[in-house]
Amino acid sequence: MPPSAQHQANSRESVSLPQTLEQGVRLSQSRLWQWQRRYYDSQGALAWQQGSVPHYVTSNAFIAEAYAKVVLGYLRDCAATLDPGQPVYLVELGAGVGRFGFHFLGSLQERLARSPLAGLRVQYVLTDFADANVEYYRSHPRLLPLFAAGLLDCAQFDVESTPELSLRHRGVTLSPGGIANPVVFIANYVFDGVPQDAFYVKDGRLHESLVTLRAPGPIADADDPKLIEQVELRYTHEPLTLPYYQDEDWNRILLGYEQRERTGGFLFPCTALACLGRLQKLASDRMLLLSGDKGQHCLDDVCGPEPGLALHGSFSVMVNYHAIGEWVRARGGETLHSGHRQASLSLNAFRLGTNDATELRLAFADHVASGGPDDLFLIKKAVDYRYETLNPEQILALVRLSAFDAKIFWGCVPALRAHIEAGRLDAGLRTDLLAAVDYVLQKYFPIGDEMDLPAAIADLKSALDRPPAKPGPTRGLGHRFGSMRVLPPVPKTPR
Ligand SMILES: C[S@@+](CC[C@H](N)C(=O)[O-])C[C@H]1O[C@@H](n2cnc3c(N)ncnc32)[C@H](O)[C@@H]1O
């Protein structure tokens, strides 16, 4: 029997399996992760087109701009040590459909050109373990010119195993020790979806949390990723004695959690740490990692309830950024986090290598830690579905503030049309709107979802060309400026 037929036969045998799919298994060894891989592998871009995989918060124009400012700071810090004859590689892991990378590269290029580092060669590498995603990059009309200009490449890279980068466009392999300049890695919403282990501290003692998975009834295909949404996950906590892992640093981090004696469960990012070890080798110890995910970076937040799964076609868990920080600090590196707990997305920078980090720290504090992507996302959620309460100036301010984000603009389109039709835009506002629309379109990265922005913008423009249905007061007739009413100039009276 050929291997694939054998595999199918094995899967069918599971029809008659009892409902318990696995019992007493380490979380990182659970079949949950196989379903996860199958999901991404089989769906490709469809997972984003159908809106199953959450990605707005990690892929919008604003977060990409914030990261670009941080990377520019890092490059300024490294400037004196850079080899100008070699590119600086910026490598995104688990890049999905490539929307973040498109925004980031545009934003970084624009800033580099206006900075003392103008002329520095950068090359962005979109990577994913799913071949369908990597091929998607190579066919996307917005990415083709970037490939052609030598600014972009792509590679299949598995966070679980790959030690090097085989660049598909240039046909070059970057191997450990073979990269001249420091490397920037970006991993958004990636470490939350790759294998982790679960532990529990009770009575001051460390336990491993072993997984039992049960299906509600008979199952047709034990490999079907749809089971992610059907199975019940339970943990049993078994006392353990250190060393648990082969890696001494990992055991030291575990010991730290045990010695804190705080009761509760936590996740250990074993795959992310092993990957970081490989990335460190690939980058010859000089690297910056920017990573955003749901997770905790404070020791106080590490122990909590038993870790659950968030379901969205695939699934995700929290990322223990504190453990990643401990690992990086043990190697003499530096970690940057926000001073507060970020509600939707924990954003973190990890730096290894000996260079100065003044500009990096400044940029991270100003653009990521506070007033950054997590804050904008919270505000966006507050104004979503309330765009019609904003006046045209407020809408344009929000659009500019969001770095001309397509989704925010899309949300504002009905309100803008209503303002246009009611004649509430004077000549100045119309000019500002047309300028904003150009930026939004420049940054638009279509993925075949329901958002047909070009059509909506064409519609807005034709509304602008028509005389308003019922002309209303415009800015020139006196408008609100904060709480102060600004009146038209009063004619001077002769003394
Ligand atoms: C939740 S999506 C995030 C995509 C994108 N970074 C974003 O923020 O929208 C997770 C991505 O990680 C990829 N992925 C999953 N397991 C991976 C692995 N072992 N190695 C590399 N990529 C992986 C998936 O294919 C998917 O593109």
Side-chain angles (χ1 to χ4, degrees):
M1 195 183 287
S4 59
Q6 179 68 53
H7 174 73
Q8 279 182 5
N10 287 345
S11 298
R12 286 204 194 94
E13 272 169 31
S14 57
V15 174
S16 56
L17 280 179
Q19 289 186 1
T20 300
L21 292 170
E22 62 187 23
Q23 189 158 20
V25 175
R26 264 192 196 190
L27 179 58
S28 62
Q29 305 296 319
S30 168
R31 63 170 72 200
L32 280 167
W33 309 104
Q34 293 162 24
W35 293 331
Q36 176 92 317
R37 290 179 70 91
R38 260 196 104 189
Y39 174 81
Y40 282 117
D41 236 354
S42 61
Q43 294 286 299
L46 210 58
W48 285 265
Q49 288 159 351
Q50 294 175 340
S52 317
V53 177
H55 66 282
Y56 173 74
V57 66
T58 51
S59 301
N60 62 63
F62 184 86
I63 186 172
E65 190 166 299
Y67 275 33
K69 289 171 183 169
V70 171
V71 170
L72 185 63
Y74 178 67
L75 295 177
R76 279 185 177 148
D77 289 330
C78 301
T81 65
L82 294 178
D83 177 347
Q86 295 294 322
V88 173
Y89 287 102
L90 313 153
V91 182
E92 185 181 351
L93 312 179
V97 281
R99 187 177 260 170
F100 171 92
F102 171 74
H103 288 315
F104 174 91
L105 189 52
S107 188
L108 183 67
Q109 279 296 104
E110 190 201 317
R111 282 176 172 71
L112 272 176
R114 290 189 282 127
S115 83
L117 295 178
L120 180 74
R121 276 177 64 207
V122 295
Q123 188 159 88
Y124 197 84
V125 186
L126 289 164
T127 78
D128 206 286
F129 90 108
D131 192 57
N133 289 351
V134 181
E135 284 306 308
Y136 184 80
Y137 311 142
R138 300 221 298 171
S139 62
H140 198 290
R142 306 286 340 236
L143 300 179
L144 292 178
L146 300 172
F147 279 112
L151 291 167
L152 182 67
D153 214 312
C154 60
Q156 196 168 20
F157 184 91
D158 190 335
V159 165
E160 294 187 41
S161 56
T162 314
E164 58 192 14
L165 279 170
S166 295
L167 304 184
R168 239 178 230 192
H169 183 69
R170 275 173 57 206
V172 171
T173 295
L174 306 175
S175 304
I179 302 180
N181 285 319
V183 185
V184 176
F185 296 100
I186 293 167
N188 286 335
Y189 270 175
V190 181
F191 295 146
D192 65 349
V194 293
Q196 312 209 15
D197 280 321
F199 298 91
Y200 203 88
V201 180
K202 59 179 172 183
D203 306 325
R205 183 133 187 237
L206 202 54
H207 295 64
E208 62 176 332
S209 300
L210 300 173
V211 168
T212 295
L213 288 182
R214 289 204 178 85
I219 52 170
D221 177 1
D223 292 332
D224 185 353
K226 288 202 183 75
L227 287 168
I228 292 173
E229 311 226 338
Q230 295 163 15
V231 292
E232 177 199 63
L233 165 68
R234 290 242 172 121
Y235 294 102
T236 50
H237 308 298
E238 298 293 335
L240 71 86
T241 310
L242 292 172
Y244 184 81
Y245 292 114
Q246 284 178 351
D247 189 302
E248 277 180 29
D249 287 335
W250 296 15
N251 290 321
R252 213 170 295 127
I253 299 169
L254 283 183
L255 180 64
Y257 296 144
E258 182 173 59
Q259 287 176 335
R260 241 179 133 245
E261 297 191 4
R262 177 171 287 196
T263 297
F266 66 90
L267 287 164
F268 191 83
C270 47
T271 306
L273 290 182
C275 177
L276 277 184
R278 286 193 303 279
L279 297 182
Q280 190 185 10
K281 286 196 185 111
L282 183 62
S284 303
D285 299 331
R286 294 183 305 154
M287 59 175 272
L288 173 71
L289 166 69
L290 296 176
S291 182
D293 242 309
K294 294 167 298 132
Q296 325 88 351
H297 66 266
C298 293
L299 177 58
D300 280 351
D301 297 337
V302 168
C303 280
E306 284 178 341
L309 310 182
L311 305 177
H312 32 73
S314 53
F315 69 90
S316 55
V317 292
M318 301 289 270
V319 177
N320 183 344
Y321 279 118
H322 175 266
I324 297 178
E326 289 288 276
W327 185 90
V328 167
R329 285 186 286 274
R331 275 163 178 67
E334 176 178 7
T335 68
L336 301 175
H337 312 285
S338 165
H340 62 276
R341 288 166 180 81
Q342 290 171 314
S344 304
L345 194 65
S346 170
L347 294 152
N348 308 271
F350 303 97
R351 184 181 65 84
L352 286 162
T354 52
N355 56 292
D356 174 34
T358 315
E359 298 285 341
L360 168 69
R361 290 184 202 119
L362 265 175
F364 187 88
D366 286 349
H367 304 297
V368 172
S370 192
D374 180 61
D375 287 338
L376 181 79
F377 185 63
L378 282 176
I379 297 301
K380 177 184 176 294
K381 283 203 287 192
V383 293
D384 264 349
Y385 314 110
R386 292 195 189 93
Y387 293 119
E388 75 284 356
T389 65
L390 304 184
N391 69 32
E393 282 159 316
Q394 290 165 338
I395 290 177
L396 288 174
L398 180 65
V399 170
R400 286 189 294 264
L401 210 60
S402 72
F404 301 95
D405 177 60
K407 193 156 184 190
I408 287 185
F409 189 83
W410 172 258
C412 295
V413 164
L416 276 170
R417 198 173 32 220
H419 288 310
I420 293 169
E421 282 167 4
R424 294 191 202 109
L425 273 76
D426 64 11
L429 281 175
R430 293 160 80 94
T431 307
D432 291 348
L433 173 59
L434 289 171
V437 153
D438 281 346
Y439 281 122
V440 170
L441 275 180
Q442 267 174 40
K443 294 185 171 211
Y444 177 52
F445 187 84
I447 58 167
D449 57 8
E450 85 296 340
M451 189 168 72
D452 186 354
L453 201 61
I457 284 177
D459 188 45
L460 269 188
K461 283 184 169 174
S462 68
L464 273 175
D465 287 341
R466 288 192 296 271
K470 38 171 183 144
T474 64
R475 192 165 56 165
L477 297 174
H479 64 286
R480 287 209 168 269
F481 212 75
S483 58
M484 187 177 73
R485 186 140 178 93
V486 179
L487 296 170
V490 180
K492 283 195 181 139
T493 44
R495 280 171 196 258

